[in-house]
C-alpha cells in the first residue's frame, strides 16, 4: 500500500523526513505539501503523485480534519474502494502504518486503521513535568 502524507505547508515533508530518519528510506511513503508553491494546486499535485503508483491501494494521512487538504483528498477518493483516509496525522501514526502488513479486504483494512488510529491517539498526553520530578524525588 502506498502511503501519502498530506498537509498544509511543510508538515508532511517534515513528517516523512523524520519517519525516514527513524526507520530508513521508505519507498512507499510520499508527501504532499499544500500551498508551498503558488503555481501548483493541491489537486494537481495529488493527481500527479497517485498516477505514478503501480498499486491500487493508497492510504492518505492528513493533518487536519475538515481542513482544505482533507476536503480535497476526501473528494478525490470518493467511490474508490482501495483508497483510505485517516486524519489527525502525528508521528506515532505514521510510524505505525509503516510497520503494518495491511489486509486485502476493505473491512479488514478499515479495522486495522481504526486500531492504529486509536493507538496513535493514546500518544497524546498532557505531561505534568513538575509532578513527575516531585514523584521521582519522593521515590528516592
Amino acid at each position: 500500500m502506498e502511503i501519502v502524507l498530506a498537509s498544509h505547508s511543510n508538515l508532511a515533508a517534515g513528517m516523512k523526513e523524520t519517519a525516514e530518519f527513524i526507520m530508513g528510506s521508505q519507498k512507499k511513503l510520499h508527501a504532499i505539501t499544500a500551498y508551498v508553491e503558488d503555481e501548483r494546486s493541491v489537486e494537481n499535485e495529488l493527481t500527479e503523485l497517485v498516477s505514478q503508483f503501480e498499486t491500487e491501494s493508497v492510504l492518505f494521512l492528513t493533518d487536519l480534519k475538515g481542513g482544505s487538504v482533507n476536503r480535497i483528498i476526501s473528494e478525490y477518493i470518493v467511490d474508490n474502494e482501495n483508497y483510505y483516509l485517516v486524519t489527525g496525522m502525528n508521528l506515532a501514526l505514521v510510524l505505525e502504518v509503516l510497520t503494518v502488513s495491511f489486509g486485502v479486504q476493505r473491512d479488514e483494512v478499515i479495522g486495522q486503521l481504526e486500531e492504529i488510529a486509536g493507538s496513535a491517539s493514546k500518544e497524546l498526553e498532557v505531561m505534568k513535568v513538575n509532578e513527575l520530578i516531585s514523584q521521582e524525588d519522593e521515590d528516592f
Side-chain angles (χ1 to χ4, degrees):
M1 182 176 304
E2 301 289 336
I3 300 169
V4 177
L5 311 178
S7 69
H8 298 82
S9 194
N10 292 306
L11 177 65
M15 194 75 68
K16 179 181 185 296
E17 183 179 320
T18 302
E20 290 183 327
F21 174 78
I22 294 169
M23 299 185 70
S25 180
Q26 301 293 312
K27 293 181 184 196
K28 294 189 175 282
L29 183 63
H30 314 275
I32 292 177
T33 55
Y35 315 117
V36 172
E37 297 178 31
D38 289 336
E39 65 277 356
R40 292 195 71 184
S41 73
V42 178
E43 294 88 349
N44 288 346
E45 194 172 351
L46 176 61
T47 302
E48 182 181 312
L49 177 63
V50 173
S51 70
Q52 298 171 20
F53 297 159
E54 295 178 7
T55 181
E56 292 182 7
S57 296
V58 182
L59 170 59
F60 297 92
L61 303 178
T62 62
D63 57 350
L64 187 61
K65 181 179 180 180
S68 59
V69 175
N70 186 262
R71 287 193 320 268
I72 290 166
I73 291 175
S74 294
E75 292 169 8
Y76 182 83
I77 70 172
V78 167
D79 297 327
N80 190 320
E81 291 290 312
N82 294 316
Y83 288 178
Y84 306 90
L85 174 61
V86 176
T87 191
M89 170 176 57
N90 64 29
L91 186 57
L93 174 68
V94 173
L95 294 175
E96 191 153 356
V97 298
L98 289 172
T99 63
V100 171
S101 292
F102 287 101
V104 176
Q105 301 298 320
R106 182 170 177 78
D107 290 343
E108 183 181 1
V109 174
I110 294 288
Q112 289 175 292
L113 290 172
E114 288 173 338
E115 186 175 321
I116 291 167
S119 175
S121 70
K122 290 178 184 172
E123 294 294 319
L124 300 173
E125 178 182 348
V126 175
M127 302 281 304
K128 299 175 185 173
V129 177
N130 290 336
E131 290 178 20
L132 292 173
I133 291 171
S134 296
Q135 183 65 34
E136 287 177 5
D137 290 343
E138 292 174 11
D139 290 343
F140 291 104

